[in-house]
Amino acid sequence: MSTPLEHDYTGLSETSSVERSSDKIPSSSSSSSSSTHPNEDKTTRTSLNLKGIELRLGLPGSQSPERKVSLFCKDLESNERSNGFAVSLKNLMSGAKRGFSDAIDGPNGKWVFPMNGKSDVELAKGAILASPRAVLEGKNKLPSGREVGGLPQSPKPVQDKNILVRSANEHSNAPASKAQVVGWPPIRSFRKNTMASNSAKNSEDAAGCLYVKVSMDGAPYLRKVDLKTYKTYKEISSALEKMFTCFTLGIQSLACTYIYFNTRYGTAAPMDLLYGESRLMDLLHGSEYVLTYEDKDGDWMLVGDVPLDSKSNEEMQEPELMQKHVEDDKQIKS
Amino acid sequence: MPKRLASSLSYEVLEHVFSFIQSDKDRNVVSAVLCKSWYEIERWCRRKIFVGNCYAVSPKMVIRRFPQVRSIELKGKPHFADFNLVPDGWGGYVLPWITEMAGAYPWLDEIRLKRMVVTDESLELIAKSFKDFKVLVLASCEGFSTDGLAAIAASCKNLRELDLRESEVDDTSVHWLSHFPETYTSMVSLNISCLGSGEVSFSALERLVSRCPNLRSLKLNRAVPLDKTANILRLAPRLVEFSACTYSAELRSDVFSNLAGAFSNCKELRSLSGFWDVVPDYLPAIYSVCSRLTSLNLSYATILSPDLIKLVSHCPSLQRLLVLDYIEDSGLEALASNCKDLQELRVFPSDPFDAEPNASLTEQGLVAVSLGCPKLQSVLYFCRRMSNAALVTIAQSHPNLNRFRLCIIEPNTADYLTGEPLDVGFGAIVEHCKDLIRLSLSGLLTDCVFEYIGKYAKKLEMLSVAFAGDSDLGLHHVLSGCESLRKLEIRDCPFGDKALLTNAAKLETMQSLWMSSCSVSFEACKLLSQKMPRLNVEVIDERGPPDSRPENCTVDKLYIYRSVAGPRFDMPPFVWTKDE
């Protein structure tokens, strides 16, 4: 099977999720990204997005040794401080990145944002983005050769990719490469933890929910889950599995790893795979169509995950009927 | 005092006289003293004991010397444990103390602990052993869970104060607050701000508050939502200290007016803290109490400068302000013009790990406050740049400063105007502020600053040093010059064996010395330990036995403290002393 060179519908490069999950996610905030990709406008648009946390699932059969769930969130421009949230999700991010198994085997098995505050300076600066073609910014540094959460690190940054780095063992006292010197600046752990969870709270929905976007490689749209409704990683994992089962089954039944529905960006989907999608249709229940909308990040989201009265629905723009199966490129174009 | 006169005063009279001498230092003088009878009397009537280092003395010794103690304060781990420099398991266990005191002091009613490891077993023992237990303060402690708290709640019917400030509590999902019986009404001060969201039941809390008419200080955790906050305030209108809870994300006028009404009822409120997740739109709800506020802790609030300025302009009586660097120089200037009674200022960094400043806070803010607030005595300030000129200005305008802690976030930062080290600036601080008892240094500093400190800082009791100095001479200046020095903590400085060994005798006059990532060899530690039997010299090194490494390899961390109790029995494997 040939690995497609183009991006999938989310705009992410189709390299293995290992690489994807172990590299750094650069800030997308610069609209002067050197990408010549037609989606540059999306980059700009996305950089203005202040909230949003995204989960990305690796596909089964991908190179990563286990399913990895990682959290990362959007970078906040330091000059976008109108509502005091500039403290930034950076701290959240740096504390929150762990391998799935690490997280699930945590001391209480609970979902905790580990806020030891030993955030890596580099990690703190890195930011993520759902937009395609985010480019590594100058100020984001890759930690050099540090072992990360059980995953071998990708040796060099790949341009045009959203990449994610996990923090090293949060409990380690070893001084970091650049500069996380242990215990400096001298701020009490209590304060560090509190400030870090301040950032977490600031990114939440008004109703006290924590909606997180979940994308799965190859799926035609994303989903949103309210993390607050889950208490353990196991619960989240099974809920996500249920959500994406239809795609998984479809993929498995097609006996190939990737399905490309990314036709918005003008990339050609491997036509040979598309002929198998009628089987996919069989597996999906109900009608041929689902209602989707394009959110401010440019992602297609399934309508219904976020309650109608919730604040996050502000972002719903034009709902779009999306066919569950794709017959040709043009049908799911916005 | 002539012998005749001393013996003619009866026991009861002397005891009465001594009861007016409250300070530990003075009591120690009294008992150290003049004649045996004074020593005896004092020891029998001593009610309060403060032990600054729990390993300096053993519980048995304390009990033998002072048989009728009612109140004890103990401190465990060294200060740098706050910044994760002391590995877990180092020590500081309170159980041996509680066990001894349970038998010896049945009337013990106050226990105050700081940086100690407290287990549920210890809490249960306290609950069981002390019938009239009144005050439990656990500051920056760890090792216990809500089970232990439940035991205290259930048994201590006269408990007045339960303060868990900044402790780490394990949540076992026990509704411990419900363990206070319905007949319990004595609470005066409750601080549970460190607890996570799962650990407090609102209804139990409301019932508790409503039946404790003497409640004056209430610090809740951040999980209490806004409408509950208003309810609780209405149940306790005589509060003096209150920690405000989570603010919801959007302004609702009904919630707002309820909250504003609740606050305006609290005529005695003087101190507010908490403010996690506060949305600026809700701040005006507290304006009615602002004019009376003397203490405001906004150091967890992500409120920006314009809103902070509005807030402080309503607080002319403020004496103590803790805030994040969001206040910016402009906010500090407003503070300086509005709050003339300000005595203590602490400014924390909102984003300490970012090399780029995310708020416009510089040394100018501190200078403004310094010039504008004549009563300023205590400063803790995090910033990213400093100049000698600013420090000199501060020093000259504030000779009454007694605590000055400056943290320039990037180590080795020079004077941003001249590129020079900040020796002269800190030198001015110690020269002009003759009553300085606590000092923390930062920035680019040579041995010169230590020369100034040794020369001028005669009342200095605690000094914190990081990334400073050039040679052993720096340490030598401090150890030989600072007469009142009790605690010295140093990290990442090129101080080594010579200064330490030359000043060995000085170490016995101090409470403790901490040195990490310096240049002290294990040989020197062993030598010191042999020379000075009344010092415990602990080498903390998780890399393995220090003498298994080459001779000139320096120790990782060194903690030296005077002790009459000898070596301790609870040392973990990574602590090495001369006997290993």
Side-chain angles (χ1 to χ4, degrees), chain A residues 2 4-9 218 258-275 277 326-330 332:
Chain A
S2 61
L5 298 170
E6 295 301 328
H7 291 237
D8 74 351
Y9 78 104
Y258 298 103
I259 296 178
Y260 303 108
F261 295 123
N262 177 25
T263 57
R264 287 182 297 153
Y265 308 124
T267 61
M271 295 303 286
D272 53 343
L273 293 177
L274 292 175
Y275 295 123
E277 38 72 18
V326 173
E327 292 192 336
D328 80 49
D329 290 358
K330 300 174 192 69
I332 58 170

Side-chain angles (χ1 to χ4, degrees), chain B residues 185-443:
Chain B
T185 56
S186 344
M187 191 66 82
V188 173
S189 170
L190 180 64
N191 178 352
I192 50 175
S193 51
C194 62
L195 295 183
S197 42
E199 292 154 16
V200 173
S201 139
F202 302 142
S203 51
L205 183 63
E206 279 180 356
R207 283 198 309 277
L208 182 65
V209 171
S210 62
R211 65 178 188 271
C212 294
N214 297 324
L215 194 63
R216 292 293 173 267
S217 172
L218 185 59
K219 296 187 181 176
L220 302 173
N221 67 341
R222 67 196 295 178
V224 181
L226 213 46
D227 49 339
K228 300 285 185 195
T229 303
N231 289 355
I232 285 171
L233 275 178
R234 287 189 194 281
L235 290 171
R238 296 198 61 195
L239 282 180
V240 174
E241 288 188 325
F242 184 61
S243 188
C245 317
T246 304
Y247 281 39
S248 70
E250 51 178 37
L251 183 64
R252 283 172 40 200
S253 58
D254 55 329
V255 174
F256 178 90
S257 42
N258 192 17
L259 193 66
F263 270 107
S264 63
N265 254 355
C266 297
K267 308 283 185 218
E268 296 177 51
L269 207 50
R270 296 289 176 272
S271 164
L272 278 182
S273 54
F275 293 100
W276 308 283
D277 317 316
V278 64
V279 162
D281 292 335
Y282 275 111
L283 283 175
I286 68 169
Y287 282 176
S288 57
V289 298
C290 281
S291 59
R292 295 185 287 269
L293 282 183
T294 56
S295 169
L296 195 50
N297 183 350
L298 296 165
S299 61
Y300 296 104
T302 51
I303 316 173
L304 298 182
S305 189
D307 296 305
L308 283 169
I309 293 176
K310 267 193 253 166
L311 185 55
V312 302
S313 63
H314 281 84
C315 305
S317 315
L318 212 54
Q319 293 171 12
R320 184 170 185 260
L321 178 67
L322 281 68
V323 74
L324 287 173
D325 56 8
Y326 291 131
I327 194 168
E328 301 192 339
D329 291 340
S330 53
L332 290 174
E333 281 155 26
L335 183 70
S337 42
N338 278 307
C339 304
K340 294 302 182 186
D341 283 341
L342 197 71
Q343 294 173 16
E344 180 177 350
L345 176 68
R346 298 195 189 196
V347 179
F348 296 95
S350 51
D351 197 1
F353 302 109
D354 195 336
E356 298 301 312
N358 68 330
S360 173
L361 180 96
T362 68
E363 83 287 3
Q364 293 304 318
L366 183 57
V367 170
V369 175
S370 186
L371 292 173
C373 301
K375 301 187 187 168
L376 191 68
Q377 287 182 331
S378 172
V379 171
L380 169 59
Y381 201 76
F382 282 80
C383 59
R384 287 182 162 86
R385 73 175 201 202
M386 188 49 65
S387 66
N388 283 310
L391 285 170
V392 170
T393 307
I394 293 167
Q396 289 175 339
S397 62
H398 268 289
N400 55 340
L401 271 181
N402 58 32
R403 288 169 175 84
F404 188 74
R405 291 192 278 166
L406 181 68
C407 178
I408 304 169
I409 289 177
E410 186 64 32
N412 298 312
T413 304
D415 177 330
Y416 78 98
L417 293 172
T418 64
E420 304 260 304
L422 291 169
D423 301 336
V424 166
F426 279 105
I429 295 276
V430 291
E431 187 184 349
H432 293 275
C433 306
K434 303 228 182 291
D435 294 325
L436 200 67
I437 58 176
R438 185 164 183 188
L439 178 64
S440 297
L441 305 174
S442 58

Side-chain angles (χ1 to χ4, degrees), chain B residues 137-209:
Chain B
V137 176
L138 304 176
S140 304
C141 294
E142 54 173 356
F144 61 102
S145 76
T146 45
D147 286 348
L149 296 178
I152 297 280
S155 310
C156 302
K157 48 190 192 318
N158 290 328
L159 192 70
R160 279 194 334 232
E161 191 174 330
L162 179 62
D163 183 340
L164 306 175
R165 58 180 83 153
E166 301 191 357
S167 291
E168 268 181 48
V169 184
D170 296 328
D171 177 13
T172 55
S173 302
V174 160
H175 292 295
W176 66 277
L177 266 182
S178 317
H179 283 65
F180 281 108
E182 288 302 312
T183 49
Y184 170 79
T185 56
S186 344
M187 191 66 82
V188 173
S189 170
L190 180 64
N191 178 352
I192 50 175
S193 51
C194 62
L195 295 183
S197 42
E199 292 154 16
V200 173
S201 139
F202 302 142
S203 51
L205 183 63
E206 279 180 356
R207 283 198 309 277
L208 182 65
V209 171

Side-chain angles (χ1 to χ4, degrees), chain B residues 15-86:
Chain B
E15 190 177 337
H16 184 67
V17 168
F18 292 163
S19 69
F20 289 101
I21 305 175
Q22 300 285 346
S23 121
D24 295 309
K25 274 195 190 140
D26 295 339
R27 290 298 289 240
N28 289 345
V29 168
V30 165
S31 58
V33 175
L34 301 172
C35 58
K36 201 156 181 241
S37 61
W38 278 44
Y39 174 91
E40 281 299 314
I41 293 167
E42 203 279 324
R43 85 180 251 265
W44 282 94
C45 64
R46 180 85 77 109
R47 295 285 176 262
K48 269 183 93 155
I49 297 285
F50 169 75
V51 180
N53 175 2
C54 64
Y55 291 119
V57 66
S58 75
K60 283 194 163 70
M61 286 169 156
V62 172
I63 290 168
R64 201 166 49 231
R65 169 89 188 268
F66 299 109
Q68 302 215 334
V69 163
R70 300 282 169 95
S71 161
I72 187 157
E73 184 173 350
L74 289 171
K75 294 192 182 180
K77 302 186 203 176
H79 174 236
F80 273 179
D82 284 351
F83 316 128
N84 299 328
L85 287 176
V86 176

